[in-house]
Amino acid sequence: MILLQSHSRFLLQTLLNRAQNLEKGVELDHHWVEFDDVRYHIQVSMKNPHLLLLSVSLPTPSSETIFVRGLPFGAFEAIKAAYGNLVQILDPPRDGFNLTLIINLSKLPANQDQKHAFMVKVASIREVVLGAPLRVVLEHLAARTVAPDLDPLVALVHRPNESFFLFPQADKVTVVYPMRFNDSIDIVLATSFLQEFVEARRTAGLHNTPPCSWSLTPPLEIKGVPSDALSANAGFVTFVIFPRHVEGHKLDRTVWNLSTFHAYVSYHVKCSEGFMHTRMRRRVESLIQALDRAKPDVENSKKTSFNRSFKRLGLKDSSTNSVS
């Protein structure tokens, strides 16, 4: 399935423009929000034009989610592995943010391809941070082991105050999404979409994809979760990930796809709603045109009535006509 890009396009463009115009020393101060309430802030001062501060605010975690120093478990290790010495973590981060990175643009690789690849990695900070715990679990799955010091059921944040759940085992990882939507129309569309999505995964050409199921009731793997975390109005989607799905280069794609599955469904629900609205507008326009064609031509009828003339007959004319 085709999902959202793992990097922020606006962040990547901002980083590339800054790196190309480093000598100009232009001050930057940008705030923006992307899907699932992930907020960014880029700041560059005139005093230190080579230092770029990137702050990230994550979705508010639910009570069952484990955060370590304001980040999902494994995030600090993932940041160091992804960026090395080119990035420093500001401790504590800027107020209102979970993470602040200090990037020294003067130490970027001289090779243009390497520099661009590094910028893309920085623009993928969302994937690095939010996908860190999922990556830890799936890396152990690839080695057919279970990560130590993990609970039998792991809750991961993916939307404000909402989590999805992992049930890790040595030979497979079960991933469960409680699907919630605020709008009543979105609930109906999402329920229909998810049912078709599950049926489509059973076709002959998709046997190598992770098994997928949908149900209105919580699956057995998450029976012990608090009831407020299971308040799903569009059912529950379950994926079963096997070692073959996370081997080699497949790991990055699997981590990103699982991390943004709810956003993927929301995107298609909104597209379906927009398509139906467009069809309804076109249908209304065609009916209005048909009604307009059915109206009598008022102007012509007025002209015809105005051209008519009547001759008043006297008594003599009336008697003459009657005799004749």
Side-chain angles (χ1 to χ4, degrees):
M1 57 186 178
I2 301 175
L3 298 183
L4 299 164
Q5 292 179 330
S6 60
H7 63 269
S8 167
R9 295 181 63 181
F10 182 77
L11 176 55
L12 176 60
Q13 190 61 46
T14 303
L15 292 172
L16 293 175
N17 289 340
R18 185 64 186 181
Q20 292 172 359
N21 301 283
L22 195 58
E23 294 78 9
K24 295 183 178 180
V26 179
E27 187 172 295
L28 291 180
D29 193 357
H30 295 329
H31 291 263
W32 73 98
V33 182
E34 297 192 354
F35 64 95
D36 291 340
D37 198 34
V38 176
R39 296 186 293 115
Y40 297 88
H41 179 209
I42 278 187
Q43 191 173 23
V44 178
S45 65
M46 294 296 293
K47 295 181 179 179
N48 298 298
H50 299 286
L51 296 181
L52 184 145
L53 271 67
L54 171 61
S55 300
V56 182
S57 175
L58 305 178
T60 304
S62 55
S63 58
E64 63 272 7
T65 307
I66 300 176
F67 267 37
V68 179
R69 293 163 56 194
L71 295 177
F73 71 88
F76 288 100
E77 293 79 5
I79 293 172
K80 294 176 181 178
Y83 307 121
N85 296 328
L86 295 177
V87 168
Q88 295 180 346
I89 301 175
L90 183 64
D91 191 15
R94 291 292 180 89
D95 291 340
F97 294 91
N98 298 83
L99 173 69
T100 298
L101 301 179
I102 303 175
I103 306 171
N104 192 335
L105 299 177
S106 62
K107 294 184 178 180
L108 294 178
N111 183 277
Q112 292 300 320
D113 292 338
Q114 294 179 356
K115 181 185 296 185
H116 187 273
F118 177 76
M119 293 295 190
V120 171
K121 198 67 176 177
V122 173
S124 304
I125 184 64
R126 172 200 180 102
E127 176 191 13
V128 173
V129 175
L130 286 179
L134 182 57
R135 182 179 295 275
V136 170
V137 173
L138 295 182
E139 284 177 346
H140 281 81
L141 174 63
R144 289 172 172 77
T145 60
V146 177
D149 302 327
L150 277 185
D151 295 333
L153 189 65
V154 181
L156 303 182
V157 63
H158 66 144
R159 288 165 52 81
N161 297 308
E162 295 183 17
S163 302
F164 67 100
F165 301 92
L166 306 180
F167 183 66
Q169 296 173 278
D171 58 341
K172 64 180 180 180
V173 173
T174 304
V175 187
V176 182
Y177 298 88
M179 304 301 294
R180 304 180 184 90
F181 295 88
N182 296 325
D183 187 77
S184 59
I185 296 177
D186 290 352
I187 294 172
V188 174
L189 292 176
T191 301
S192 177
F193 173 81
L194 291 171
Q195 291 173 339
E196 293 295 329
F197 179 84
V198 171
E199 289 299 322
R201 311 293 281 185
R202 296 172 181 171
T203 57
L206 298 175
H207 284 324
N208 292 328
T209 60
C212 178
S213 61
W214 175 87
S215 64
L216 283 173
T217 58
L220 295 176
E221 288 84 358
I222 59 173
K223 283 294 185 182
V225 175
S227 58
D228 58 341
L230 300 180
S231 57
N233 51 26
F236 298 83
V237 179
T238 303
F239 290 98
V240 181
I241 310 298
F242 292 103
R244 68 175 183 271
H245 299 132
V246 293
E247 294 174 347
H249 65 279
K250 296 179 182 179
L251 177 62
D252 291 338
R253 183 175 180 83
T254 302
V255 168
W256 178 246
N257 287 354
L258 292 175
S259 299
T260 58
F261 177 72
H262 196 289
Y264 167 82
V265 176
S266 298
Y267 169 81
H268 284 281
V269 166
K270 293 302 182 184
C271 287
S272 300
E273 189 174 351
F275 175 76
M276 286 191 294
H277 286 173
T278 302
R279 291 288 301 272
M280 291 170 63
R281 292 190 190 99
R282 290 177 180 173
R283 181 59 178 166
V284 170
E285 290 173 358
S286 65
L287 291 175
I288 292 175
Q289 291 175 0
L291 291 174
D292 289 339
R293 289 193 296 267
K295 287 181 179 179
D297 195 341
V298 179
E299 293 296 329
N300 290 338
S301 63
K302 287 182 178 180
K303 290 179 181 179
T304 304
S305 63
F306 290 156
N307 292 334
R308 293 174 182 172
S309 63
F310 299 93
K311 182 180 180 180
R312 183 183 295 275
L313 298 177
L315 293 176
K316 185 183 292 186
D317 296 332
S318 176
S319 60
T320 303
N321 291 339
S322 62
V323 171
S324 60

